[in-house]
Amino acid sequence: MKEKKIAAISHKTKVIPIQWDATFFFERAVRSLDRYHYDKALKYFRRAAEYEPDNPVNHCNMAGILSEMGNYEESNRILQSIVDELDSEMTECHFYMANNFANMEQYEAAEDALVRYLELDSDGQFLEEAEEMLELLHFELERPTKLAFIKAREGFYEHDQARSLLEEGKFVEAVRLLESIVEKNGQFLAARNNLALAYYYMGMFDKAMTTIHEVLDIESGNLHALCNLAIFHQHSGDQEQLKPLVALLAKTVPFHQEHVFKLATTMGILGEHGEAHRHFVRLLKDSSLRDDPCLYHYTAVAACNMGRHEEAQKMWLQASKLDPKSNVSGYYLEQLELIRKGHNPAPTSYHYHLPFEEQFKLWEKSSDALPDHMKRDPLVRSSFFWALRHGDRNTKLQVIQALGLIADNEVKDALREFIVEPQEDDYLKRIAIFVLRSIGVHESLKAVLEGKETVIEHSRMPSRLPIWEDKWQAVLDAALLRMNKHYDLVQQHDLLTLWIEFLSRIYPDVPKLGKIEGWAAALEYLTAKMHRRAISYHEVSQRYETSIATVSKCAKRIDEICGIKEKMKMIFPALAEHRE
């Protein structure tokens, strides 16, 4: 008997108790929903609601399933109880009720519910769908709808403009517009969300975080804000705040297409590739999205990170068929072969463009002109602005050159802000000043150089020279005009610096500069040598239409004063003295 008792006790310890709570039944419901087992999903959502009766989300999930099953009356009963008893701020319930009434052909009731939604909802998350339904009701009722006011339309035109600016990568202009909208209408949550994103794209992380918390103070369950907050916490490395937020998002099952897409991309960025994959697959089942190459790319990235390489390959091949002019799918298919061989890690970026570093490589290989898609693509532009604030020195140098080729007002504002940052490298700021002058900014510029605030007048670069002669500028213009298509902005800047150094050291005994082309050719020759570019006196003399003797004489004079050859020997000890 004793042995049997011991065996029984031992057997009991192997039983793992099941935690019967709302989360358990919620997860069961989601699994059933993914398999389109609506009856089981409804049963599990009911049990989740029994465990958490005060949680309106559980009841809303039940109403959604009932609507899918065609039980519109019961769905509406639950939705009405949510706004009456649980959470009156869940204005989307009125929209769901309007849909249910329309499906039952109760158009007067549908109109009442839809008008209530539009008059109460400040976020406008179903605004487009609501406007489509208004047209339907107008047709069915054979009269104009009773609608007099759309709350989400307050500042709507301006908000639409701001969204377009964001899509074009014009973040500074978007911020100005969004700030004015939010100032007028603090309840316009879509504008606040986009303002937070605009700050984030510009690298203004603290402002982005403050703005997103303002959204959540107004509406704690705002999905766009929660997704943005999770990405912000990931950026800051705040795992303590991030973990519970990821757990909350993992439990969320949005029905609206835009929300599913937002949640899917967010989970992917957070590294929750399984959750992202599940939502992307749901979206692919929607026939209206099957021609979207971006969606196949996102699904491929998620599948690749899950180790589903064959699925990823199929998805990227499909994206390539849908968008044959893009080189994105081709690049990732090449990377997939390296991943399979264990040479490369799986890609972590869900953006439908080449990685930032890869875009720079293509640009450098092609020509000195920045491709049009890089100028227009808001993600590329945001990468530039991020890198200008947070990149290493070499990356910032590349970005400043790239911004000089974009040369729009957004770029000018960004570079003006850059040159007044005390912690930035003085050399980089001088390059930025040179770029500003090169792209047509001729007014006085405020800058912080050598730890001091200074005002840089119309001359192309700050110098300690008391005057700036027209002939000195003419030499510079002659050199830069001929170098424009053959040298990058850093090399052009170095030529300018060399010329100013020569004039500063020799002043006031500056040569008369009889023939400016000879001095300009000498400056290009020496700049090329400093950057180890192959060049000869003969080559530059032909391009500047001057004699070899003149170029050689001017180059030797500049070298005597500035010690170019000695500096090069110090930098490149193995470099022998150049010969013609």
Side-chain angles (χ1 to χ4, degrees), residues 485-546:
K485 299 294 182 183
H486 308 285
Y487 294 79
D488 64 30
L489 287 169
V490 171
Q491 292 162 347
Q492 292 177 51
H493 165 267
D494 288 349
L495 177 141
L496 172 58
T497 303
L498 174 60
W499 185 229
I500 289 175
E501 182 185 356
F502 170 71
L503 294 172
S504 300
R505 288 191 178 195
I506 205 169
Y507 186 84
D509 301 320
V510 179
K512 291 183 179 180
L513 310 182
K515 192 173 183 183
I516 63 170
E517 285 78 9
W519 290 97
L523 286 171
E524 180 182 331
Y525 175 83
L526 291 171
T527 301
K529 288 297 182 183
M530 285 192 293
H531 285 273
R532 306 186 72 177
R533 292 182 55 156
I535 197 168
S536 66
Y537 286 139
H538 175 71
E539 180 186 337
V540 291
S541 66
Q542 283 193 318
R543 284 202 291 111
Y544 286 81
E545 298 179 352
T546 187

Side-chain angles (χ1 to χ4, degrees), residues 404-459:
L405 296 171
I406 296 173
D408 58 17
N409 290 333
E410 190 93 353
V411 163
K412 293 172 185 176
D413 287 342
L415 293 178
R416 284 191 188 100
E417 289 178 14
F418 181 78
I419 63 176
V420 297
E421 291 291 340
Q423 73 275 13
E424 294 294 351
D425 182 272
D426 273 3
Y427 177 74
L428 294 178
K429 284 190 275 192
R430 290 175 190 275
I431 294 283
I433 293 165
F434 175 71
V435 169
L436 283 167
R437 295 302 189 208
S438 301
I439 61 179
V441 179
H442 299 307
E443 73 268 17
S444 299
L445 292 170
K446 293 180 181 178
V448 175
L449 295 167
E450 298 175 2
K452 297 176 183 177
E453 291 185 7
T454 184
V455 176
I456 300 156
E457 300 300 340
H458 180 63
S459 61

Side-chain angles (χ1 to χ4, degrees), residues 97-123:
M97 283 190 276
N99 270 289
N100 286 336
F101 282 127
N103 282 318
M104 291 188 286
E105 298 185 2
Q106 297 180 23
Y107 299 118
E108 293 278 356
E111 181 187 41
D112 290 341
L114 191 62
V115 167
R116 189 157 179 77
Y117 165 72
L118 289 169
E119 290 180 345
L120 291 176
D121 183 63
S122 59
D123 201 19

Side-chain angles (χ1 to χ4, degrees), residues 306-326:
M306 295 169 71
R308 299 182 180 182
H309 295 154
E310 288 186 14
E311 181 186 346
Q313 183 176 14
K314 288 178 183 176
M315 292 291 169
W316 272 315
L317 286 170
Q318 184 61 26
S320 183
K321 286 180 185 177
L322 293 169
D323 189 9
K325 293 182 180 179
S326 171

Side-chain angles (χ1 to χ4, degrees), residues 54-65:
D54 296 330
N55 185 342
V57 174
N58 291 327
H59 296 273
C60 199
N61 285 331
M62 269 201 302
I65 295 292

Side-chain angles (χ1 to χ4, degrees), residues 199-389:
Y199 285 142
Y200 180 73
Y201 289 148
M202 292 174 66
M204 302 166 72
F205 183 73
D206 290 341
K207 278 192 171 185
M209 188 66 86
T210 300
T211 306
I212 216 68
H213 277 298
E214 288 170 355
V215 175
L216 292 169
D217 286 343
I218 298 168
E219 185 184 298
S220 60
N222 187 286
L223 183 61
H224 279 271
L226 290 170
C227 287
N228 292 339
L229 181 61
I231 291 169
F232 295 171
H233 281 319
Q234 185 194 48
H235 163 80
S236 66
D238 190 345
Q239 292 299 315
E240 188 177 342
Q241 297 286 338
L242 180 60
K243 284 181 181 179
L245 193 49
V246 171
L248 173 64
L249 292 174
K251 293 179 183 180
T252 305
V253 187
F255 288 97
H256 189 247
Q257 188 185 92
E258 180 190 346
H259 286 179
V260 177
F261 186 81
K262 176 70 175 180
L263 183 59
T265 51
T266 300
M267 297 307 275
I269 292 167
L270 296 175
E272 300 291 328
H273 304 294
E275 292 292 328
H277 183 268
R278 182 162 64 85
H279 292 301
F280 285 133
V281 169
R282 280 182 64 197
L283 289 170
L284 282 174
K285 290 175 182 175
D286 189 327
S287 58
S288 66
L289 294 173
R290 286 177 189 160
D291 292 331
D292 184 357
C294 300
L295 185 53
Y296 287 94
H297 168 72
Y298 303 142
T299 312
V301 174
C304 188
N305 278 282
M306 295 169 71
R308 299 182 180 182
H309 295 154
E310 288 186 14
E311 181 186 346
Q313 183 176 14
K314 288 178 183 176
M315 292 291 169
W316 272 315
L317 286 170
Q318 184 61 26
S320 183
K321 286 180 185 177
L322 293 169
D323 189 9
K325 293 182 180 179
S326 171
N327 52 9
V328 173
S329 296
Y331 168 79
Y332 280 103
L333 284 167
E334 289 176 6
Q335 294 301 302
L336 184 59
E337 289 305 311
L338 296 173
I339 292 163
R340 282 169 163 162
K341 294 174 183 176
H343 297 316
N344 279 4
T348 55
S349 174
Y350 279 78
H351 297 312
Y352 186 60
H353 64 63
L354 293 177
F356 184 63
E357 299 80 6
E358 198 67 24
Q359 300 223 30
F360 262 123
K361 287 179 188 175
L362 289 178
W363 168 43
E364 289 170 346
K365 285 179 184 176
S366 58
S367 68
D368 58 350
L370 196 68
D372 286 341
H373 79 274
M374 289 183 73
K375 294 179 182 180
R376 295 191 304 267
D377 191 328
L379 292 171
V380 174
R381 289 171 68 96
S382 70
S383 296
F384 286 160
F385 291 123
W386 257 107
L388 188 62
R389 286 179 175 271

